[in-house]
Structure formats: C-alpha cells, structure tokens
Amino acid sequence: EADIYQTPRYLVIGTGKKITLECSQTMGHDKMYWYQQDPGMELHLIHYSYGVNSTEKGDLSSESTVSRIRTEHFPLTLESARPSHTSQYLCASTPSPTISNYGYTFGSGTRLTVV
Amino acid sequence: AQSVAQPEDQVNVAEGNPLTVKCTYSVSGNPYLFWYVQYPNRGLQFLLKYITGDNLVKGSYGFEAEFNKSQTSFHLKKPSALVSDSALYFCAVRDPPYSSASKIIFGSGTRLSIRP
C-alpha cells in the first residue's frame, strides 16, 4: 500500500471559502506533485516541488498555491473556492535524484465540489 | 518535449479474451515509458515501466507491455481479461529522459471495460 496520504477524500464547500487540501508522505521522497483531474479525464500538472522551500507551477494554470516547509508535507490551498475548482486533486511523490527506476507513487485523491 | 498519445478513449473486451491498450510515443533519444492504472475514486497505481533491455516488460496483475522502437509504440497487453481489469489506463513518458529534474507526462487515458 502506498505511503502517501491525502485528506479529505471528499469535500463539499461553498463558494468563497478558503480550503487546504493535505498531502503527506512517509517515504522521504524529495519530489512531490499536484495534479488536477476531471472525472475519468486526463491529468493536468498544476504544481510541483523538488524539495523543501522549492515550489513551481505546472503546465496548467491554477489559482491554487502550495507550500513545502517540510519534506513530508505538500499542502494545496485555494484562498477563495469557486465552482470552476470542482475537480479531483491527486498528489504524487518520487525520490531523487532520478525517477527512472520508480515512477510516481500517488495518493487516493481529494474530490472537491464547490457549490 | 517528450509526449505520448493514447488513440482510443475506450476499449471494450469480453472476459477471457486478450486485451490491448495502445500507446505511441514521441521522444528524442531513448524513452523512459510507464503504464499506470486508475480504479474508480482512487489515485493512479504504477503497473510497469520500460527503461532499457527486453522489449517485453512484465508488470502487475498479469499485464505486460511491448516496446517497439520502429513503430514508436508501447502497447499494454494481457492474454486473458478479467472483469476486475475494468479501469482507466494511462501511458506516460519521462520528460526530459536524462535529467534529475524531469517530470512524468501522462497520456489522455483509455477506459478499459471488460464485459462478463
């Protein structure tokens, strides 16, 4: 079983609320990623981090922000949720210095619904 | 940039029949290729990878994939499908292939449906 945890699994929240999606891994992986995925659709990279205090924006523009204060923790925050943010958010990690022998380990995802 | 394409949105197979989920890649140099599976309301699970060596790669749950350099393909296969194989399957490539800063680029996904 993967040692990467996302909470909550499901979240229904009102427009304008601030939310934080949690992602934690116990594997000591340096690299962590956030993907956004509409149900049954392709994945879009929105944020990634190569280590503590390192964060980068991904290929898909997102109004969310991330932080990486500790190696094991990579939370994603939406300051003001909107219905367009309704989606599934997947967190993943992989060890450095190379991903060639590992691929990614994924969490179970957070399904966010903004009403 | 490296990329992968999954030409089929959906593949339907009867239980017990062989299955193939197609993937083609576009890379410069030798590719690092992956297959992942996603069950409903779950994250992605790593199935198998090709880095180098034998063109036929064996992975989890009885799946295998054949790397074909001349056809730039990395099709996922299984000799006998199970209903429990029904899921969303993603092909992926490492971009760029030789950098420690590389990321995995995912295809658009193929939904595999196995009927009893």
Side-chain angles (χ1 to χ4, degrees):
Chain A
E1 194 67 30
D3 293 330
I4 182 166
Y5 306 99
Q6 290 187 244
T7 57
R9 286 295 309 276
Y10 303 93
L11 178 62
V12 180
I13 200 164
T15 298
K17 299 293 185 182
K18 177 180 179 179
I19 59 169
T20 296
L21 307 185
E22 302 288 348
C23 177
S24 295
Q25 48 95 6
T26 59
M27 299 170 285
H29 288 175
D30 288 324
K31 298 180 180 180
M32 297 188 74
Y33 309 83
W34 276 104
Y35 286 87
Q36 184 174 343
Q37 181 190 30
D38 290 332
M41 303 295 284
E42 59 192 295
L43 289 85
H44 298 284
L45 180 67
I46 53 175
H47 298 283
Y48 60 99
S49 167
Y50 288 157
V52 172
N53 295 324
S54 154
T55 60
E56 301 286 345
K57 289 191 177 295
D59 306 318
L60 179 69
S61 176
S62 174
E63 295 169 342
S64 58
T65 59
V66 293
S67 62
R68 190 85 184 276
I69 299 173
R70 303 197 314 267
T71 297
E72 62 271 22
H73 195 212
F74 191 41
L76 180 146
T77 298
L78 277 166
E79 291 292 333
S80 180
R82 296 207 302 267
S84 61
H85 297 139
T86 294
S87 190
Q88 175 161 251
Y89 293 83
L90 293 169
C91 182
S93 72
T94 192
S96 286
T98 173
I99 62 173
S100 64
N101 295 325
Y102 293 97
Y104 289 179
T105 300
F106 278 86
S108 296
T110 294
R111 187 172 295 281
L112 173 66
T113 302
V114 183
V115 298
Chain B
Q2 326 295 321
S3 65
V4 290
Q6 294 180 244
E8 302 159 314
D9 289 336
Q10 175 134 0
V11 171
N12 300 308
V13 177
E15 187 175 29
N17 284 0
L19 69 87
T20 298
V21 183
K22 296 180 180 178
C23 173
T24 59
Y25 64 87
S26 174
V27 303
S28 54
N30 295 322
Y32 291 179
L33 296 162
F34 305 83
W35 275 102
Y36 288 80
V37 60
Q38 184 179 31
Y39 297 102
N41 298 316
R42 305 290 296 180
L44 277 69
Q45 295 178 31
F46 171 80
L47 271 181
L48 51 80
K49 67 180 186 293
Y50 173 82
I51 306 300
T52 187
D54 289 341
N55 290 340
L56 187 63
V57 179
K58 293 189 182 298
S60 306
Y61 311 121
F63 283 94
E64 57 190 26
E66 186 173 11
F67 173 69
N68 188 317
K69 189 171 184 177
S70 63
Q71 297 184 4
T72 63
S73 66
F74 189 55
H75 300 334
L76 182 71
K77 301 181 179 183
K78 188 172 183 180
S80 179
L82 300 172
V83 172
S84 57
D85 293 330
S86 299
L88 190 57
Y89 290 80
F90 289 93
C91 183
V93 65
R94 178 179 174 178
D95 179 34
Y98 306 117
S99 169
S100 62
S102 57
K103 302 186 290 291
I104 292 182
I105 308 300
F106 291 88
S108 55
T110 298
R111 183 165 301 283
L112 178 63
S113 178
I114 310 298
R115 60 183 182 276

